[in-house]
Structures are given as C-alpha cells and as structure tokens.
Amino acid sequence: MDSFIDQQFSSQEQQLKISDLSKSYLNETAKWGQFLSIVGFIGIGIMVLMGLVFSFSFNALQHLPMGNNMPAGFSFLFGLVYIVIGIIYFFPCLYLFRFSKKTKDALQLNNEESLTVAFSNQKSVFKFMGIFTVIVLGFYAIMFLIGILGLMV
C-alpha cells in the first residue's frame, strides 16, 4: 500500500506553495537576521580594532609598575586571540546577512531561485555553528581531561 502511495506522489510533480503567513514569517526572520548580522559585523570591527590595540599598545604598559607581572608577548597574544575570534565570527555573520538579503529579494520578486540561495546560506550558518560547537566541546573535553590528569600527578 505504501509503495502505491509513493508511486503516486513520485509520478506527480510536487510544488511547494508558501502561504502568506509563512511569507510574513520569512520576511520578519529576514529583517531580524539582517539586524543581527549588521550588529555582528560592527562587533567584529570593534573586536579586531581592540585586538590591534591590545597587540601594539599594551607593550607600553609593561613599563608601568603594575605591568611588570605580564610576560613578554602576552599582550600581542591576547590581541591575536581577539583578531582570530573576530575572523571566525565573520563567516556566520556573512552567511546570515546573505540569507536575509536573498530572502527579502525572493519575497519581493517571488523568485524561487533566490529563496533556494537564501536557504543555502541559512544551512551554512547552522552547519558552521554546529561544527564550531563540536570543536569547542572537544576542546572543553580535552581541557577537562588535562585538568583531571593534572590533579592525579
């Protein structure tokens, strides 16, 4: 019985229809996505700028009495971490911005190809964040194991 139903559905061309309510949800999602991506880009700019400031100006603070406890190169490493985090965060913001732009275009022009590209970018946001989450969780697990081993020694 199931194979008969499957054959019936596969023989007919399936069309996905998007209701007006779904379109309004997509439009609102696109607006919020664009807002969050723009705020993300601004945050990335501030983060990279602060990384540059940390990298090059904290070396001058080492000459102050309270700065003598910092190891040489610490401020450069600290600034470099900020810059690397900014670079990593750039990609999900870019994908989110592209998703938002293409979704708005698709809804305004009733263009299925733009909507497909939009969903491709949305997939990329989730894939990037998923992979990044797995990497961070793996890093936490390694640090936990190192901590346990350190206590045993």
Side-chain angles (χ1 to χ4, degrees), residues 144-153:
F144 180 75
L145 290 174
I146 290 173
I148 295 294
L149 292 174
L151 290 174
M152 295 171 65
V153 174

Side-chain angles (χ1 to χ4, degrees), residues 54-55 58-63 66-78:
F54 290 152
S55 293
F58 276 163
N59 286 332
L61 294 178
Q62 288 182 338
H63 301 294
M66 68 179 137
N68 289 336
N69 295 332
M70 281 197 291
F74 177 76
S75 63
F76 180 77
L77 182 64
F78 190 69

Side-chain angles (χ1 to χ4, degrees), residues 26 29 33 36 91-97 99 118-134:
L26 277 173
T29 301
L36 291 173
F91 293 102
C93 288
L94 178 64
Y95 294 138
L96 185 59
F97 184 80
F99 162 75
F119 283 137
S120 173
N121 280 286
Q122 185 185 40
K123 175 215 47 117
S124 295
V125 171
F126 290 134
K127 185 176 179 179
F128 186 94
M129 295 306 290
I131 292 169
F132 188 72
T133 299
V134 168

Side-chain angles (χ1 to χ4, degrees), residues 110-123:
N110 203 25
N111 186 330
E112 186 177 340
E113 185 178 326
S114 289
L115 190 60
T116 301
V117 172
F119 283 137
S120 173
N121 280 286
Q122 185 185 40
K123 175 215 47 117

Side-chain angles (χ1 to χ4, degrees), residues 20-92:
D20 289 339
L21 183 59
S22 294
K23 286 181 181 180
S24 73
Y25 290 152
L26 277 173
N27 190 40
E28 188 172 346
T29 301
K31 287 178 184 177
W32 280 108
Q34 188 171 25
F35 169 75
L36 291 173
S37 65
I38 290 170
V39 169
F41 286 136
I42 293 169
I44 290 166
I46 292 170
M47 191 176 294
V48 169
L49 183 64
M50 292 306 295
L52 293 171
V53 168
F54 290 152
S55 293
F56 297 113
S57 67
F58 276 163
N59 286 332
L61 294 178
Q62 288 182 338
H63 301 294
L64 297 174
M66 68 179 137
N68 289 336
N69 295 332
M70 281 197 291
F74 177 76
S75 63
F76 180 77
L77 182 64
F78 190 69
L80 186 63
V81 168
Y82 262 70
I83 293 169
V84 168
I85 290 172
I87 291 169
I88 291 171
Y89 189 52
F90 173 79
F91 293 102

